[in-house]
Amino acid sequence: MNSFIIKGDICYSADKNTLITCPDSYVVCEMGVCKGVFGKVPDRYSALDIIDHSGMLVMPGMVDLHIHAPQYAYRGLGMDMELLDWLDNYAFPEEAKYSDLEYADRAYDIFANAVRNSATTRLAVFGTLHREATELLMDKLEASGSVSYVGKVNMDRNSPDTLRESSARASIDDTERFILETRDKYKNTYPVITPRFVPSCTDECMKGLGELSEKYDVPVQSHLSENPSEVEWVRELCPDTLNYGDAYDRYGLFGKHAETIMAHCVYSDDDEVRRMKENGVYIAHCPASNMNVASGIAPIRKYLDMDMNLGLGSDVAGGQTESIFTSMTEALQVSRLYWRLVDRNMKPLSVAEVFYMATKGGGSFFGKVGSFEEGCEFDAIVIDDSLLPHPQPLSLRERLERAIYLGGDIKALKAKYCRGSCLIRNEELGIRNEE
Ligand code: GUN
Ligand code: FE
């Protein structure tokens, strides 16, 4: 059933400043494409079934621009260290286990199930350096019905023997095989080139990955300017670069050839920001992770005002949860601390702005995604906020704000659609044709 109408209290972003709320309205999906939101069903759609979610919040699916699937197993643990020690003591030992396909099978079942049951419809995912385990992850994500870009991670230096590729050549060749094996295999799952971060990849490896990105037109994802000691380490490792971003840019891994996501950008200098803006690099803002591994607060007001490409990332397990509702709340909260503690000229973010980042902002990485405007791919979630009771009347906008702050996605997700397919319907809801 790829053509239908959903009735409910509809919320979506037109742009970063414009949150549109339409109580008791109809959003039309025709062949997986959104045809717009209407106060009453237009005659031309009168033959379509109406799925009745009256009284519930209906909004675009959430977009997670940065998540580590193999770290899901230890989310909520190991938050007692800063980034580089955290990687050595928690992330790397856990990721090394994915050489064992049987372990990967069990762990990725749990991850894919969590994705399926979440409000997220689109995601950009790090696997591990293990090609086979990462392809297994892609099989499972494809079965979840969500749309994802998934990366086999590259690591050929500065990592333990148990989690390091034998040479740059081996890392590049394995990545090329990964691309060839996966690029046409799935309907909703695609490969993405994933150098872990500059400290993990030799120049030879980075050069080869840049060439693969251009040759096969495959996007790129990585980490950038996350934590002070990491930025300092990159300066030592790459003394001839202007900044951290330059260390990607010089190898064609910074948005010039293909769409690129860089997670964090807490400490990007002016030149790095200018290059990201020029090249259309997506910034994945991951506030939970920035707090948990004591990285800092990213200057998101600045990036928003510059109209940069910007979305939210859960960064599990630097972030403790896959909930993008939680990421929205944290983005709001850390922006207030930034204003209070760092720069009084940087106005805190608004609910409309973080909702935009969680939907249309990050969604544009995937094409026309993340809104209910005509022509968008139809991704939607339905939240039953009657589970968050209140005695006073609230506007639809206030109900949305509350659902974000109170974790409405976890408590009350009733239905989820991606590319027009229904992925979840948590209880039987009325389906009728009003004709
Ligand atoms: N930088 C390099 N690897 C990682 C990772 O796994 N998580 C985070 N937050 N930063 C990183
Ligand atoms: Fe990360």
Side-chain angles (χ1 to χ4, degrees):
M1 187 180 62
N2 272 337
S3 299
F4 54 87
I5 297 169
I6 296 179
K7 182 179 188 195
D9 297 328
I10 297 171
C11 310
Y12 65 99
S13 283
D15 58 52
K16 66 183 180 183
N17 298 314
T18 315
L19 171 60
I20 298 178
T21 55
C22 309
D24 206 25
S25 295
Y26 302 83
V27 58
V28 176
C29 171
E30 192 174 55
M31 306 296 285
V33 176
C34 187
K35 294 292 169 183
V37 177
F38 305 92
K40 74 187 227 332
V41 177
D43 286 347
R44 62 187 181 282
Y45 301 124
S46 58
L48 297 182
D49 282 341
I50 296 173
I51 305 169
D52 192 356
H53 292 293
S54 289
M56 299 187 195
L57 302 171
V58 181
M59 65 190 84
M62 296 293 117
V63 179
D64 188 342
L65 279 188
H66 185 75
I67 183 165
H68 296 261
Q71 297 176 8
Y72 191 74
Y74 71 93
R75 70 198 182 285
L77 294 172
M79 298 306 189
D80 53 346
M81 290 181 185
E82 236 190 287
L83 175 69
L84 296 177
D85 288 335
W86 177 87
L87 287 171
D88 286 339
N89 287 282
Y90 299 109
F92 292 166
E94 180 61 27
E95 290 188 24
K97 296 179 190 167
Y98 288 72
S99 60
D100 173 357
L101 273 181
E102 199 270 327
Y103 185 81
D105 188 43
R106 279 191 290 136
Y108 284 154
D109 264 346
I110 295 169
F111 176 73
N113 205 35
V115 169
R116 186 186 166 279
N117 291 326
S118 75
T120 300
T121 49
R122 309 261 171 167
L123 55 169
V125 185
F126 278 55
T128 61
L129 59 78
H130 312 98
R131 179 177 39 73
E132 284 176 293
T134 305
E135 292 187 15
L136 185 63
L137 169 63
M138 293 173 87
D139 292 345
K140 293 178 191 298
L141 283 171
E142 177 77 4
S144 78
S146 31
V147 176
S148 59
Y149 283 88
V150 181
K152 180 214 109 51
V153 172
N154 299 90
M155 302 173 72
D156 71 332
R157 68 171 176 184
N158 292 322
S159 23
D161 291 346
T162 49
L163 195 70
R164 195 177 58 242
E165 295 169 292
S166 58
S167 66
R169 191 70 257 159
S171 178
I172 296 160
D173 289 348
D174 213 28
T175 303
E176 184 162 25
R177 182 168 166 191
F178 169 71
I179 293 167
L180 291 172
E181 286 179 354
T182 58
R183 65 178 172 160
D184 299 317
K185 183 172 174 192
Y186 307 101
K187 197 162 124 255
N188 293 324
T189 314
Y190 315 102
V192 48
I193 289 173
T194 307
R196 180 173 208 117
F197 66 158
V198 167
S200 293
C201 297
T202 59
D203 286 0
E204 188 188 347
C205 181
M206 298 275 273
K207 180 166 180 293
L209 295 180
E211 288 165 2
L212 288 180
S213 169
E214 193 173 8
K215 180 174 174 188
Y216 294 109
D217 193 23
V218 176
V220 174
Q221 62 178 354
S222 193
H223 297 91
L224 180 69
S225 298
E226 176 179 1
N227 187 284
S229 37
E230 169 222 23
V231 173
E232 184 52 40
W233 194 17
V234 171
R235 205 171 285 135
E236 286 164 22
L237 289 166
C238 309
D240 52 336
T241 55
L242 212 53
N243 49 48
Y244 197 157
D246 189 20
Y248 293 108
D249 205 10
R250 65 179 167 169
Y251 295 122
L253 293 164
F254 211 53
K256 278 210 188 93
H257 302 314
E259 278 202 309
T260 296
I261 300 170
M262 287 288 157
H264 306 300
C265 307
V266 178
Y267 297 101
S268 297
D269 66 18
D270 288 347
D271 175 76
E272 190 168 287
V273 173
R274 180 188 57 75
R275 289 182 202 222
M276 286 195 281
K277 169 76 183 163
E278 271 178 25
N279 296 352
V281 169
Y282 279 77
I283 296 167
H285 177 39
C286 308
S289 169
N290 295 160
M291 290 188 276
N292 289 329
V293 296
S295 291
I297 310 174
I300 298 304
R301 165 61 57 210
K302 178 168 85 180
Y303 300 150
L304 262 179
D305 288 352
M306 289 177 69
D307 281 326
M308 300 189 58
N309 286 329
L310 191 55
L312 292 175
S314 65
D315 197 21
V316 162
Q320 71 280 6
T321 169
E322 69 276 21
S323 165
I324 294 298
F325 277 40
T326 302
S327 298
M328 283 193 272
T329 303
E330 290 159 342
L332 288 162
Q333 292 172 325
V334 300
S335 78
R336 276 161 177 71
L337 290 180
Y338 195 88
W339 172 81
R340 169 62 68 196
L341 301 174
V342 183
D343 186 347
R344 287 296 180 91
N345 294 315
M346 293 291 174
K347 206 168 65 144
L349 303 183
S350 68
V351 169
E353 286 168 331
V354 298
F355 186 75
Y356 167 81
M357 288 163 63
T359 54
K360 195 175 181 184
S364 64
F365 180 79
F366 296 80
K368 237 183 147 193
V369 169
S371 183
F372 286 149
E373 292 163 319
E374 187 180 355
C376 286
E377 292 183 47
F378 191 88
D379 293 4
I381 55 170
V382 178
I383 305 286
D384 180 5
D385 66 330
S386 70
L387 299 178
L388 307 168
H390 55 93
Q392 79 280 42
L394 292 177
S395 68
L396 178 47
R397 199 187 176 90
E398 288 170 325
R399 284 169 54 205
L400 173 65
E401 180 171 350
R402 247 172 124 251
I404 291 170
Y405 271 97
L406 301 183
D409 58 334
I410 306 267
K411 294 195 177 81
L413 183 69
K414 284 292 163 201
K416 170 160 136 175
Y417 301 81
C418 188
R419 286 185 163 163
S421 295
C422 181
L423 306 185
I424 301 181
R425 186 162 313 142
N426 277 339
E427 64 194 40
E428 268 324 302
L429 293 149
I431 297 182
R432 65 198 160 91
N433 186 304
E434 289 193 340
E435 271 292 299

